Amino acid sequence: MSFVTDTSNIAVDERVTRTPWYRSMLRRPELGALIGAIAVFVVFAVADTTGQFATLSGAAGWTDFAAPVGIVAIFVALLMIAGEFDLSSGVMVGTSGLFAGLLITQLGWAMWPAIIATLLLGAVIGFINGVLVVRTALPSFVVTLGTFFVLKGANLAITKGLTGTVRVSGIEQATGFESARAVLATTIPIGGASFQISLVWWIALTAVATILLTRTVFGNWIFASGGDAVAARNAGVPVTRTKITLFVMTSMAASLVGIMFLLRLRGMQAGQGVGQEFYYIIAAAVGGCLLTGGAGSAIGASIGTLIMGFASVGIPYALWDQDWVSTFLGVILFSAVFINVTISRRARGGRKT
């Protein structure tokens, strides 16, 4: 005897149903940035009066701007996903370049030891930022804004005090300068165009950050820390350690970019990097990072940075008034975030509740 069970009336738990691929795509945090990047690229390619924007030469130009911004922006994005900000990341670029330059010109250090010491300085400042944020419970906006002003003043005062000017120069005489420049500040010829090696670093670090965020336990901790820190702690997530680590990583990324500029320019101005912190945050926000934390991606931040690169080269190529650059970036920020939020809401609304 056989028994046949009628399962036609059994409700299917929606948690085990397969989500259509297009809805999964719509929920991607970087989708709005990608749509925006395509639109901006088309606009500037059409408006270009030189015929260079969409060529390899043009690509070398917009990636030259985007790469150093992107290197820091991807780690700022990770920090924002964890629910924190770092407004000192811009000035940290200048601090790092000046610190390495002063070690070389004032103390006679070789290039590579100065680079290592500078990266350690970045780690220390990031650690201090992180500890202050998690121990005092003050908003990271306030803590890192304070660090911003401390470093900005120190950069100017110490540089003028030791050199008599606001610039450190003469680092090309250091032992190891050429080898360091070959690794961090050389150019790569491709099809007749010269691309900065910072582009390679940007792509590599974006890949590393993406793997870290999506394929590791630490990545889960980042999302959990930004989504609901209290619930994350109750679930055993080391929220404090996670956030401090992200502050360290962000500051070290800024130090790396500062060293790149030092090698490329053979010197460093005291005001270098000031104001760049807003570019990093804009890139992350355009890329889908919520200001409240818990969502975002490293790839999205890189796409957001690429949009800025398009604007930096596309506006002068189109013979537009460059005074409108900041206005353009503000419009792009609002548009990309609005598209992201709208698409995400509709994707979630498409599911039964």
Side-chain angles (χ1 to χ4, degrees), residues 5 21 27 46 75 79 98 123 126 134 216-217 248 272-273 285 288 292 296:
T5 303
W21 66 268
R27 294 193 192 107
V46 171
F75 292 98
L79 190 58
L98 291 170
V134 300
T216 69
V217 173
V248 170
Q272 184 77 38
T292 53

Side-chain angles (χ1 to χ4, degrees), residues 140-154:
S140 54
F141 176 92
V142 174
V143 172
T144 57
L145 183 61
T147 303
F148 167 87
F149 282 108
V150 169
L151 293 179
K152 182 181 178 182

Side-chain angles (χ1 to χ4, degrees), residues 297-309:
S297 76
I299 293 176
S302 286
I303 296 174
T305 307
L306 196 59
I307 293 175
M308 295 183 187

Side-chain angles (χ1 to χ4, degrees), residues 312-326:
S312 70
V313 172
I315 287 178
Y317 278 4
L319 299 181
W320 296 353
D321 187 347
Q322 295 192 56
D323 292 339
W324 290 95
V325 171
S326 294

Side-chain angles (χ1 to χ4, degrees), residues 135-176:
R135 297 300 183 192
T136 65
L138 291 172
S140 54
F141 176 92
V142 174
V143 172
T144 57
L145 183 61
T147 303
F148 167 87
F149 282 108
V150 169
L151 293 179
K152 182 181 178 182
N155 289 351
L156 185 61
I158 294 175
T159 303
K160 287 183 68 175
L162 293 177
T163 68
T165 68
V166 295
R167 176 179 171 82
V168 173
S169 56
I171 59 120
E172 63 272 15
Q173 305 302 320
T175 302

Side-chain angles (χ1 to χ4, degrees), residues 21 63 79 199 202 311:
W21 66 268
T63 56
L79 190 58
L199 173 61
W202 178 30

